[in-house]
Each structure stands twice: as structure tokens, then as C-alpha cells.
Amino acid sequence: MAVRSRLITGIGELTTNAPELGRLRDAGVVFEGPGVAWVGAAAVAPDADERVDVAGRAALPGWVDSHTHLVFAGDRTAEFEARMAGKPYTAGGIAATVAATRAAGDVQLAANLRYHLDEAVRQGTTCLETKTGYGLSVRDEVRSARIAAELADEVTFLGAHLVPPGADPESYVDVVCGEMLDAVAELVRWVDVFCERGAFDEAQSERVLRAAIGRGLGVRVHGNQLGHGPGVQLAVRAGAASVDHCTYLSDADVEALSGSDTVATLLPACDLSTRQPLAPARRLLDAGATIALASNANPGSSYTTSMSFCVATAVLQMRLSVEEAVWAATAGGARALRRDDVGVIRPGARADLQVLDAPSVTHLAYRPGVPLTWAVWRRGQRVSTEYSSLRMARI
């Protein structure tokens, strides 16, 4: 007989992120199909078709990774090694991935994306956004968007990632705002722009955002990664769902974020990999801004899908409490995607739950680097947390 409902019981500590529920002890959760049907004390849990006792372990919503770049081919190990030897990071390294991605077939790109998604899910990520941006031609951006739309929860068009080598910047922005946007609009929910030196200036970035809004798409901004710049202010003016990186912020930037609905998405793994300062998470929170934590998984500046690593870094080096960091990596990511069905455990939410082989979420920072994910349910279905030895061929 098909299992219609599941009771996850014996939860020693349940982080719900729901204000009306808070953090529960000795808790249970019931899934019906892909959704949460009930949350409360395990002793009074309703019957279900299947019962799973997690024996006192901690549970929390699945990670919501709201910023990745996983439709790509190629390898940038040499660039990473050079950076670790002291060479500064610039946006120009993206061009190497563009060349490899254009040369790869659709099957290769889909297999690479699927591999990294599986890797992320095994570590507790149950909702993931990914971007185009390594095609930078109409043909290659469309196929990137199509592949992403088949596999990822949220898809963002990032044709304005970099001006392709040899292209005129203004003419390329014309293509991004016109033919390219027209071609991908039905495949994506979001449009992003890299507003940064070496990428797109304020006027060019604003053109991209206006074109996206005109097509009824949501907008996001890469901003303030490599230095002070207009990205944050532009994002807030445009009503962007998020502005991502936020490494270099002025007092005016912090004030703008604190007075807006734009989420400051912080990418600590990227800051470490590029040897930039860590984003001022404590300063943002103390000012009243909303923050998210995301992996920025990509082959050049942050080649990790580990949200647990980002949480541990936020606690140990960015002065967040464990509770704040976990919220930012779950409910904060949901806010950055303008969603209320993920990043939370309450009736009516999507049945995305991760269980740690630990008695509390504090162990995520207390035991950094230790793989603590014990079980993951996504849309109510348990997924394997075993690491496959079958690594796809490098492409």
C-alpha cells in the first residue's frame, strides 16, 4: 500500500522557524504527501501510515540555498591555486567557465547540475536557486535556463554576468535586455545583474533590472563584492528581492537595507575563497536588516555546496549566534526567494526536513567540518544521504 502520511517522531530538538511554534522539545512532525500536516509534541502525535523515530536527534528545516551558479562546465583549480598564492580575485575568471560551458553538450551540463544538486541535498539542502550566466549568448543562455528549469527549484537569468570577450558593453546590454531576455523569460522567475567593476556599471545594471521588471520578472543584484559601489542602493531602489555579496557596505548602504524588504544575502564561502573580508553580518542584523546565507556554489570563487560550512563560518567568524545563522540559511534564504513554503516547519509548508546526528543545532558550529546530516526529507520523500562513488567524468 502506498504511504500517504509519515510521522517523524522522537525529535529531541525541533527548530521550526515558525514564530507561533518556536523551538520544540520531544517533538513530532507529520507529512501528508509533499506537505507538512501537523507539528507538535511527540506524545500526542496523530497516527500516520509510516513512523520514523529519530531517537532524540535534532531536526530543522532543509537549507534554502538562494544563490548558486551550477549550470557550468570546466575546472578552475589553477585559478584557485594562483589566488591562494596571492593573486587577487577579479571577475574576469568567469570567461574561462564561459568558454568551457559553451563547448559542453546539453547532456554534460545537465549531468553536472544533477550531480551538484544531489551533493547539496545529501547535505540537507532541500530548496536551491541556480543561475544562468556562463553562456552569455542567446543560444547558450536559453539552453542553460532550460536545463536549470528542469532540475532546480528556482531559476535566475544572469545574462548580465560579464561582457563576453570582444563584445561592446552597451551593445551587449542591448542584447541582454532585448533578444536574450525575450528568449529566456518563460523559463525563469528572476533576473540578476553583476553590478561591479569589471562587470556592469550602475546605468547598465539599472537598464537590465528595468527590462526584467517590465517583463513581470523578479529581480536580484550581485553587489558590493569587490569594493564599495552602487549595487546595494540600486537593488533597494528597484525593490529587488535580494542583493548578494554585500562585502563592502557604507553606513548609507546598511541604512537602506534596514529600511527595505531587500534581503542582504551573504556568501561567506566566497569571501574566504577570494580572500575578501567577511561580510558584516552582525552590523546588518543589529541595524535591523534581513540577511540570508547562501553557498554561491560555482567553479571559480566558491566551489562548495555545503550550507553547513557557511553556517559554521557565520557563527565562528561573523559573530552570529547559531540560531541567527540557522535562520539565515533557511528562513532567510526563503525570504530572499520571496517564498513562505520553505525554510519553515509548520502545517501547510513544504515537507522539507533535515535531521542531524546531534542533539541540537549548536553542533553545526560546535563541531565544524563534521558531516552531521543524518536524514533528509524533501517534499515528504526521504532522500539518500549516502555519497555516491560514481563521480561523473570531468567536463
Side-chain angles (χ1 to χ4, degrees):
M1 185 179 72
V3 174
R4 295 186 301 274
S5 60
R6 290 177 173 83
L7 166 63
I8 315 301
T9 190
I11 301 172
E13 174 194 270
L14 176 62
T15 298
T16 69
N17 287 340
E20 70 275 19
L21 294 171
R23 182 175 292 179
L24 304 178
R25 304 285 179 180
D26 301 319
V29 178
V30 174
F31 302 151
E32 286 188 1
V36 176
W38 179 90
V39 182
V44 296
D47 292 333
D49 296 331
E50 179 182 87
R51 176 187 176 100
V52 180
D53 191 332
V54 302
R57 293 177 172 89
L60 65 157
W63 304 126
V64 180
D65 193 349
S66 61
H67 184 130
T68 78
H69 304 252
L70 290 175
V71 185
F72 74 89
D75 180 89
R76 284 161 66 183
T77 303
E79 176 191 322
F80 176 79
E81 290 177 340
R83 198 160 63 241
M84 295 305 99
K87 183 177 179 180
Y89 173 75
T90 65
I94 294 166
T97 301
V98 171
T101 302
R102 288 178 174 179
D106 288 8
V107 172
Q108 292 174 305
L109 292 177
N112 201 37
L113 174 57
R114 188 175 293 107
Y115 172 81
H116 288 98
L117 287 172
D118 289 348
E119 180 182 81
V121 171
R122 285 194 301 271
Q123 300 174 88
T125 296
T126 52
C127 181
L128 183 142
E129 179 267 10
T130 200
K131 308 176 194 298
T132 70
Y134 292 131
L136 306 189
S137 69
V138 174
R139 170 187 175 272
D140 291 296
E141 286 296 297
V142 168
R143 71 188 186 114
S144 294
R146 185 181 66 252
I147 290 165
E150 291 171 355
L151 297 170
D153 296 271
E154 298 273 344
V155 183
T156 300
F157 166 53
L158 185 58
H161 199 185
L162 195 73
V163 178
D168 171 71
E170 292 300 326
S171 297
Y172 181 68
V173 173
D174 289 342
V175 173
V176 169
C177 295
E179 182 184 2
M180 198 178 285
L181 179 57
D182 290 342
V184 304
E186 297 302 318
L187 296 167
V188 305
R189 183 182 177 206
W190 304 99
V191 175
D192 200 343
V193 60
F194 193 9
C195 182
E196 193 67 71
R197 66 175 185 265
F200 298 87
D201 65 22
E202 182 175 8
Q204 293 163 341
S205 299
E206 189 163 14
R207 285 182 60 198
V208 172
L209 298 183
R210 285 181 175 176
I213 292 168
R215 291 298 303 263
L217 296 169
V219 294
R220 333 179 66 76
V221 174
H222 279 57
N224 300 61
Q225 177 187 5
L226 303 178
H228 292 281
V232 166
Q233 299 291 335
L234 175 61
V236 171
R237 277 202 316 274
S242 71
V243 54
D244 301 18
H245 287 289
C246 296
T247 307
Y248 295 90
L249 299 181
S250 66
D251 290 344
D253 293 332
V254 173
E255 182 179 2
L257 286 166
S258 67
S260 77
D261 293 328
T262 299
V263 175
T265 300
L266 313 182
L267 311 172
C270 179
D271 294 336
L272 292 173
S273 179
T274 57
R275 291 191 166 165
Q276 298 286 318
L278 288 161
R282 183 78 267 150
R283 181 179 167 204
L284 285 162
L285 277 186
D286 289 347
T290 300
I291 69 168
L293 291 172
S295 72
N296 191 25
N298 76 83
S301 63
S302 185
Y303 197 13
T304 181
T305 54
S306 175
M307 289 290 284
S308 295
F309 174 73
C310 297
V311 167
T313 300
V315 175
L316 297 173
Q317 299 192 48
M318 299 168 76
R319 298 179 59 206
L320 296 190
S321 69
V322 174
E323 183 178 4
E324 289 168 337
V326 166
W327 191 95
T330 51
R335 290 270 188 98
L337 295 171
R338 298 273 168 93
R339 294 181 66 152
D340 58 11
D341 63 326
V342 294
V344 64
I345 303 296
R346 63 152 65 97
R350 204 168 87 173
D352 292 354
L353 183 78
Q354 60 173 314
V355 178
L356 305 179
D357 196 10
S360 75
V361 291
T362 301
H363 282 238
L364 290 163
Y366 182 44
R367 305 192 68 207
V370 177
L372 293 177
T373 304
W374 183 78
V376 179
W377 282 265
R378 184 172 183 269
R379 299 180 187 270
Q381 296 295 317
R382 190 165 183 172
V383 298
S384 174
T385 55
E386 296 298 318
Y387 188 87
S388 173
S389 61
L390 298 176
R391 176 64 167 107
M392 61 163 288
R394 296 303 305 162
I395 58 176

